[in-house]
């Protein structure tokens, strides 16, 4: 049984940058587990710690029931595929695939059939005698996968293997990777920043932000029942509507949610109403996906259609409804601010100040939890224009069962089902 367990793992670099914070995950035998998040969230650092390419600052890493914090990479029974494939340019495809077997001292004659069988499964059998420089990007990634899988590792690590490919090829290889990994049955950790890759590939997915675990579950769980506003927003195209709402509980009338100058009613028969009682007089964030809104003459929300966007298979309508939309970037993490890396925007401002291009700025006032966008638009989907025109006033109804409730800390108010 090959499983990966990270128990309260931290990674702090010498300059003080806290890349991964108290990460606890369990990847059982044979699971295709995806680490998802924006650039710089710590997902590749996690993969490199599992591989033994980065030291763990604190916490425990267990591989197949064995503490592996200080095991050298060669003793971890794993193989890794990088973003660029990292093939040996002077060796042909056969030589690249067979290299791990040669290092292990296996007889070339004994490995011949395995190479042929694996190359056939990867669709590169006809390229075995070609050099990497003559291959397409997709073929090179298939060779890299073949080199990793040929010695049948217990753990397979993939660090954004499709990010350098065009969209059509990514779709094709995405399906092939999922089918191949599951047919082999090897425990796989797959890193990506692409939501579509994560949702289509994963048995389970973990979402990271600034080194902190935001959510973990099956693709459907984290999409339909996200634990944080960040998860809800990151797994959303078009963007989810995150609306600030005031809470007013009434003993006889349930809970009323004020959004702008309008109100939504939640009766006591709705279990979520009970979770809102303690927030009477404060604010919450409503998460409403674009397909949970629809035009309805009797709808709870009214607004003016500001824009219509044609997307081929659907239209997206933007409605000015006078509501305050919440910006997920303004939510504070529970952890202290990371230090040691200022980030590109901060470095750019500092450079401009030192060169005299811009003046020193006064300290900015604290941003309240949530923040607001410049426009108070709600976005919803239409299969056709349905007679709706820019500039007209319409009413919208909400699929109340799909409405998500988040507190001012960005975490779900109602229970997350896992």
């Amino acid at each position: 049984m090959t499983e990966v367990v990270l128990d309260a793992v931290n990674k702090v670099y010498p300059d003080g940058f806290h890349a991964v914070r108290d990460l606890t995950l369990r990847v059982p035998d044979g699971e295709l587990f995806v680490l998802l998040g924006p650039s710089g969230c710590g997902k590749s650092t996690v993969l490199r710690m599992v591989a033994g390419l980065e030291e763990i600052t604190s916490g425990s890493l267990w591989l197949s029931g064995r503490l592996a914090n200080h095991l050298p990479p060669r003793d971890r029974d794993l193989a890794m595929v990088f973003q660029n494939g990292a093939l040996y340019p002077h060796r042909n495809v056969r030589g690249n695939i067979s290299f791990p077997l040669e290092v292990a001292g296996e007889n070339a004659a004994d490995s011949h059939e395995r190479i042929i069988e694996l190359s056939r499964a990867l669709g590169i059998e006809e390229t075995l005698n070609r050099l990497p420089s003559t291959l397409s990007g997709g073929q090179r990634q298939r060779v890299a996968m073949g080199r990793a899988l040929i010695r049948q590792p217990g753990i397979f690590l993939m660090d954004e293997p499709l990010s350098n490919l065009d969209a059509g090829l990514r779709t094709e290889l995405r399906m092939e990777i999922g089918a191949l990994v599951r047919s082999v049955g090897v425990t796989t950790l797959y890193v990506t920043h692409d939501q579509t890759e994560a949702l289509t590939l994963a048995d389970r997915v973990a979402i990271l932000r600034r080194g902190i675990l935001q959510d973990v579950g099956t693709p459907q769980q984290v999409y339909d029942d996200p634990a944080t506003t960040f998860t809800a927003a990151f797994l959303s195209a078009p963007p989810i509507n995150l609306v600030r709402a005031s809470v007013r509980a009434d003993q006889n009338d349930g809970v009323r949610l004020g959004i702008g100058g309008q109100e939504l009613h939640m009766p006591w028969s709705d279990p979520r109403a009970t979770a809102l009682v303690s927030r009477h007089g404060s604010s919450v964030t409503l998460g409403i996906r674009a397909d949970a809104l629809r035009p309805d003459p009797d709808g709870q929300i009214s607004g003016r259609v500001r824009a219509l966007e044609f997307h081929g298979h659907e239209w997206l309508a933007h409605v000015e409804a006078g509501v305050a939309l919440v910006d997920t970037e303004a939510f504070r993490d529970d952890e202290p601010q990371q230090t040691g890396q200022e980030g590109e925007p901060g470095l750019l401002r500092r450079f401009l100040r030192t060169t005299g291009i811009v003046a020193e700025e006064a300290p900015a006032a604290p941003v309240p939890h949530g923040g607001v966008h410049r426009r108070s638009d709600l976005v919803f989907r239409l299969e056709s224009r349905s007679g709706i025109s820019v500039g007209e006033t319409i009413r919208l109804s909400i699929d109340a069962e799909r409405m998500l409730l988040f507190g001012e800390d960005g975490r779900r108010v109602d229970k997350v089902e896992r």
Side-chain angles (χ1 to χ4, degrees):
M1 179 177 179
T2 304
E3 71 171 5
V4 179
V5 176
L6 296 101
D7 184 10
V9 167
N10 284 271
K11 176 62 182 180
V12 183
Y13 286 98
D15 64 358
F17 178 59
H18 206 151
V20 177
R21 295 177 180 269
D22 294 322
L23 180 63
T24 297
L25 289 172
R26 176 181 174 270
V27 183
D29 182 44
E31 185 171 69
L32 201 170
F33 191 90
V34 173
L35 294 167
L36 173 67
S39 297
C41 72
K43 55 189 185 296
S44 290
T45 302
V46 173
L47 207 69
R48 291 173 63 83
M49 285 191 290
V50 173
L53 304 178
E54 293 276 5
E55 290 187 0
I56 295 173
T57 304
S58 65
S60 303
L61 169 67
W62 299 82
L63 303 179
S64 303
R66 182 168 62 155
L67 185 63
N69 287 44
H70 304 295
L71 277 180
R74 65 177 178 274
D75 294 334
R76 299 191 181 204
D77 189 26
L78 51 78
M80 191 168 183
V81 174
F82 296 93
Q83 184 174 331
N84 59 8
L87 301 179
Y88 300 109
H90 62 286
R91 298 177 71 104
N92 61 18
V93 170
R94 187 191 304 274
N96 268 280
I97 294 176
S98 66
F99 183 76
L101 301 179
E102 295 173 19
V103 172
E106 291 199 23
N107 186 283
D110 295 338
S111 61
H112 176 74
E113 286 302 320
R114 286 171 59 189
I115 294 172
I116 295 296
E117 182 180 349
L118 182 58
S119 64
R120 186 179 295 124
L122 290 166
I124 53 173
E125 186 181 10
E126 296 180 355
T127 69
L128 287 175
N129 295 318
R130 292 168 56 183
L131 292 173
S133 60
T134 68
L135 304 177
S136 67
Q139 288 171 328
R140 285 195 292 271
Q141 281 300 74
R142 287 185 176 98
V143 176
M145 289 177 60
R147 185 179 62 190
L149 289 170
I150 190 65
R151 64 180 184 85
Q152 300 172 328
I155 303 165
F156 193 23
L157 308 178
M158 306 186 77
D159 191 3
E160 303 205 53
L162 306 182
S163 60
N164 288 340
L165 306 179
D166 61 67
L169 192 53
R170 279 202 306 270
T171 301
E172 178 185 344
L173 276 184
R174 188 171 66 227
M175 292 186 293
E176 292 179 3
I177 287 173
L180 180 65
V181 167
R182 288 185 175 90
S183 68
V184 174
V186 61
T187 305
T188 301
L189 271 71
Y190 187 107
V191 162
T192 183
H193 64 271
D194 188 298
Q195 301 95 311
T196 302
E197 271 182 45
L199 295 178
T200 55
L201 268 176
D203 294 324
R204 286 191 306 143
V205 57
I207 297 94
L208 296 175
R209 180 196 186 204
R210 298 173 185 168
I212 300 170
L213 181 65
Q214 299 289 307
D215 209 345
V216 61
T218 68
Q220 187 162 4
Q221 284 174 335
V222 296
Y223 182 86
D224 291 341
D225 199 25
T228 66
T229 53
F230 181 80
T231 300
F234 197 73
L235 296 176
S236 189
I240 189 172
N241 299 293
L242 294 174
V243 183
R244 188 185 304 284
S246 60
V247 180
R248 183 169 61 85
D250 185 281
Q251 182 177 354
N252 301 313
D253 196 31
V255 173
R256 292 195 174 272
L257 300 169
I259 54 173
Q262 308 172 73
E263 272 192 339
L264 302 177
H265 177 239
M266 187 174 290
W268 289 122
S269 58
D270 189 325
R272 294 171 298 178
T274 305
L276 290 172
V277 171
S278 63
R279 301 186 182 253
H280 173 75
S282 62
S283 296
V284 295
T285 297
L286 302 183
I288 310 167
R289 295 202 183 275
D291 50 3
L293 286 168
R294 63 180 179 85
D296 182 353
D298 300 319
Q300 309 99 312
I301 300 174
S302 65
R304 186 182 69 87
V305 179
R306 184 179 65 81
L308 291 169
E309 296 179 353
F310 181 57
H311 287 249
H313 62 293
E314 65 180 4
W315 289 80
L316 292 182
H318 297 252
V319 175
E320 291 179 328
V323 298
L325 298 187
V326 175
D327 181 2
T328 59
E329 286 305 308
F331 282 102
R332 307 288 201 266
D333 291 317
D334 290 336
E335 309 296 336
Q337 293 293 314
Q338 296 176 13
T339 59
Q341 286 194 5
E342 189 175 20
E344 290 183 11
L347 289 173
L348 179 59
R349 285 193 297 271
R350 188 171 65 188
F351 170 75
L352 293 175
R353 287 197 300 267
T354 57
T355 54
I357 297 175
V358 298
E360 286 284 345
E361 302 171 6
V367 179
H369 288 311
V372 294
H373 292 298
R374 282 174 291 181
R375 288 189 180 275
S376 57
D377 286 356
L378 294 176
V379 180
F380 69 95
R381 281 186 162 121
L382 293 167
E383 292 184 1
S384 65
R385 289 190 62 166
S386 305
I388 294 177
S389 303
V390 174
E392 73 171 286
T393 299
I394 63 169
R395 298 194 71 86
L396 299 171
S397 65
I398 302 172
D399 183 349
E401 291 185 359
R402 297 181 60 199
M403 193 165 61
L404 305 168
L405 299 169
F406 302 92
E408 291 190 347
D409 60 356
R411 299 189 178 279
R412 281 284 288 279
V413 171
D414 50 330
K415 184 179 180 181
V416 176
E417 299 292 340
R418 287 286 188 270

